[in-house]
Amino acid sequence: MKILTQTFQTKHNTAPFSQIKINDYQPAFETNLAKARAEIDAITTNSEAPTFENTIVALDFAGQELDRLSSIFFNLNSAETCDEMQKIAQEVSPLLTAFSNDIALNEDLFKRVKAVHDQKANLNLTPEQATLLDKKYKSFARNGALLPEDKKARLREIDTELAKLKLTFGENVLAETNNYQLHITNEAELKGLPDGAKEMAHSLAQSKNLEGWIFTLDFPSYLPFVTYVDNRELRKVMAIAAGKKAFQNNEYDNKEITLKIAKLRYERATLLGYETHSHFVLEERMAQHPDKVKLFLNDLLEKAKPAAQKEFAELTAFAQELDGIDQLEKWDGAYYSEKLKQKLYSLDDELLKPYFKLENVLNGAFTVAEKLFGITFKEVFNIDKYHEDVQTFEVLDFEGNLVAVFYSDFFPRKGKRNGAWMTSFKPQYIKDGVNERPHVSIVCNFTPPTATKPSLLTFNEVTTLFHEFGHALHGMLANTTYPSLSGTSVFWDFVELPSQVMENWCYQPEALALFAHHYETGEIIPQHYVEKIKESASFLEGMATLRQLSFGILDMAYHSNNPNAITDIKVFEKQAMEIATLYPDVEENCMSVSFSHIFQGGYSSGYYSYKWAEVLDADAFAYFEEQGIFNKEVATKFKDNVLSKGGTELPMELYKRFRGHEPTVDALLKRAGLLP
């Protein structure tokens, strides 16, 4: 336990993963919670008059050891979990929620915060200090400080229940993912599947002492299967298995949990005086109001739907011509899209993968960051890690000063949830004159190496790596004073800008030349492939846009209305998404019950932010294209006004300082080929 309750005696104060035992966590949480409570008590009982320093700043730095422990534990609970960790998570989450509520509902503490806030006009604060003061005041007002006692008690109950429900939701999705496998023993049934995917499936079967090939719902296994396997019935089996995760009336069923989460969020919002959960959430977003989000989604829907319907008709005609398919189903989409893409562009992932060896792509991301932002990445082997697959790097500026510690974790495994994400084990902040540098991690589920091949990425995996690396840069280049405003601690509909803008470099010949080299010959990716990649960037973009919009529409349907009238999750989902749906419904499937972004993660009333940030990123990258994709002046403006500033000012102000004006939707529509 002691290892988790004291300053780490490690290089750069990094987490000592190998020294931590699972049974250390629970007592460490109890100890660090007690310390954090004592720090809050010290602020509350301070006999001196409330000031910005002794109340607002002290509050922002209170509980740092608890925050550090929480980041380590919950990051590992996502990337390297087990039954024991999940049990601890279920026990610890209510304690953390109770602590947060104790702060939010602490009347004496709120009085001190309010006293400072009331003097705001006379305090001569910097923009960052003013933002921190507003944020602290709102954190009380938006979390029940102004409520009567009976409503405060109910708020505590709701928050405790929500914390547990969200954890269970995620655990159920992970269990359903892990519990499914498709075992194939007849190789003829795998006709069309690339050798690399087949070899990976064979290795998995061998690891389980089985003959043949095993396919799972992990993305690197699932996606090649539904994209390439000619056997339509088997594609259907896999697609339905993926779509019915947590929708099977078994112990991992999420129907009731999904509805409970939506209803409790609504009750919480109305308790606080808001019309709906979306009204509560969006008050602290760039969009500000549900009506603005719906207007944004509907505007894009109006522009994308005709293109999507035209593309769907063309894809259907292509499938008809090729295989006599009259009605495209969900298990046909990836398969015929890939076939059509090959026909139109003579390009497929298998042709490109040899040029995208994982190590080369990662080094390419590093080189792009070096050219743009003046930082270098040096792999080191004396920083502890939580799994042998993890790599560790020191990020240095050109003077050799430490900018950040960077962890990468790229391959699927049993204790790791699906998807890709960026996180941090320690934030950046300035305390006692020392600029504490962040420890940042990206976690993905890429195609692993096999006995005969290194990890070769699909182009989609290449853009995913650059996407998460963009989030990482937002964390690594942070340069703020206060931890709660640092790095990715920004409005949710702004947080995707750094990640999505970085994807643009994957399409640029100048950038691809840095890392897209054939893993066997060293040959740079041929120019005609690069041109095809650029040409195909907007391939079926109308359909892709419609799909993303349907997720945002579903999110808003749950959260911008009263969900108490919902009796059937499946029926509700189908009605909500109908306006943006192209494929026939699959009765056995339901997306809501595994929609982890909004029911486990932080995207409730925020899924629209992916498209919102695309508007920002297209507009931002247009600036780079005008001046040169490695233009130092533009890159420095982006670093100084966006990446380093965190949440210290309103995001639109930061964006305008970088770009010179507010973004317009034109750059996105042009890039997506959706302009008439």
Side-chain angles (χ1 to χ4, degrees), residues 380-396:
V380 291
F381 302 93
N382 55 354
I383 287 177
D384 216 342
K385 49 196 189 181
Y386 57 85
H387 190 275
E388 60 184 11
D389 286 349
V390 177
Q391 289 175 276
T392 52
F393 301 86
E394 288 178 336
V395 187
L396 309 169

Side-chain angles (χ1 to χ4, degrees), residues 270-288:
T270 55
L271 203 62
L272 291 167
Y274 294 85
E275 193 177 326
T276 68
H277 179 66
S278 291
H279 288 80
F280 170 77
V281 169
L282 293 168
E283 185 181 67
E284 291 289 281
R285 300 285 192 267
M286 289 177 80
Q288 296 189 313

Side-chain angles (χ1 to χ4, degrees), residues 127 517 556:
H517 299 176
M556 293 304 288

Side-chain angles (χ1 to χ4, degrees), residues 141-341:
R142 284 169 55 81
N143 283 291
L146 303 173
L147 292 177
E149 283 308 314
D150 59 330
K151 289 188 175 180
K152 283 182 181 177
R154 177 58 188 147
L155 196 72
R156 286 175 186 271
E157 290 171 3
I158 291 171
D159 285 346
T160 301
E161 194 173 354
L162 276 172
K164 296 187 83 164
L165 286 170
K166 284 163 68 177
L167 265 178
T168 305
F169 183 98
E171 287 168 4
N172 287 347
V173 174
L174 180 63
E176 290 276 85
T177 303
N178 287 339
N179 288 346
Y180 181 82
Q181 64 178 41
L182 178 65
H183 184 202
I184 304 287
T185 53
N186 179 2
E187 190 169 4
E189 293 183 327
L190 300 179
K191 189 169 179 288
L193 189 69
D195 289 342
K198 204 185 289 184
E199 188 179 350
M200 188 172 80
H202 183 58
S203 296
L204 186 56
Q206 285 182 316
S207 73
K208 294 173 180 276
N209 296 316
L210 292 170
E211 295 296 316
W213 302 264
I214 283 181
F215 298 89
T216 71
L217 300 180
D218 287 323
F219 218 56
S221 177
Y222 173 79
L223 189 61
F225 193 96
V226 295
T227 304
Y228 293 106
V229 168
D230 292 337
N231 187 318
R232 192 183 188 208
E233 278 305 307
L234 284 178
R235 293 201 311 271
K236 178 180 178 179
V237 167
M238 278 295 273
I240 288 179
K244 67 180 184 182
K245 292 196 299 277
F247 188 65
Q248 302 189 72
N249 295 318
N250 60 11
E251 62 184 303
Y252 304 116
D253 193 278
N254 269 343
K255 289 194 292 292
E256 194 179 324
I257 289 171
T258 301
L259 204 46
K260 265 189 185 173
I261 291 172
K263 288 178 178 178
L264 285 169
R265 283 172 172 167
Y266 175 76
E267 184 187 349
R268 187 184 195 282
T270 55
L271 203 62
L272 291 167
Y274 294 85
E275 193 177 326
T276 68
H277 179 66
S278 291
H279 288 80
F280 170 77
V281 169
L282 293 168
E283 185 181 67
E284 291 289 281
R285 300 285 192 267
M286 289 177 80
Q288 296 189 313
H289 194 278
D291 289 348
K292 191 166 182 181
V293 172
K294 290 173 185 175
L295 200 64
F296 171 75
L297 292 172
N298 289 332
D299 184 40
L300 272 180
L301 182 68
E302 192 180 314
K303 292 180 169 76
K305 193 169 183 176
Q309 289 170 328
K310 183 169 177 280
E311 290 165 0
F312 190 71
E314 288 168 355
L315 194 61
T316 302
F318 174 71
Q320 226 293 326
E321 179 193 334
L322 204 63
D323 292 324
I325 304 290
D326 291 322
Q327 175 63 67
L328 281 181
E329 303 285 353
K330 288 182 179 176
W331 44 88
D332 297 318
Y335 180 79
Y336 287 106
S337 296
E338 186 63 27
K339 285 270 190 289
L340 182 57
K341 190 175 178 182

Side-chain angles (χ1 to χ4, degrees), residues 55-128:
T55 301
I56 307 303
V57 174
L59 186 54
D60 204 51
F61 282 98
Q64 274 195 303
E65 288 167 297
L66 179 63
D67 291 343
R68 190 84 197 275
L69 171 62
S70 296
S71 70
I72 291 169
F73 176 78
F74 286 103
N75 282 335
L76 295 194
N77 195 42
S78 289
E80 186 64 8
T81 194
C82 59
D83 291 345
E84 296 97 314
M85 284 195 79
Q86 290 183 5
K87 185 171 181 289
I88 294 167
Q90 288 284 2
E91 290 167 359
V92 162
S93 290
L95 301 179
L96 295 173
T97 301
F99 173 64
S100 296
N101 279 332
D102 286 346
I103 294 174
L105 302 176
N106 184 323
E107 285 186 33
D108 292 334
L109 184 57
F110 179 55
K111 280 177 189 169
R112 289 186 68 90
V113 171
K114 188 175 184 301
V116 180
H117 192 261
D118 288 347
Q119 309 167 44
K120 182 182 173 182
N122 306 317
L123 294 179
N124 198 25
L125 302 176
T126 66
E128 182 177 358

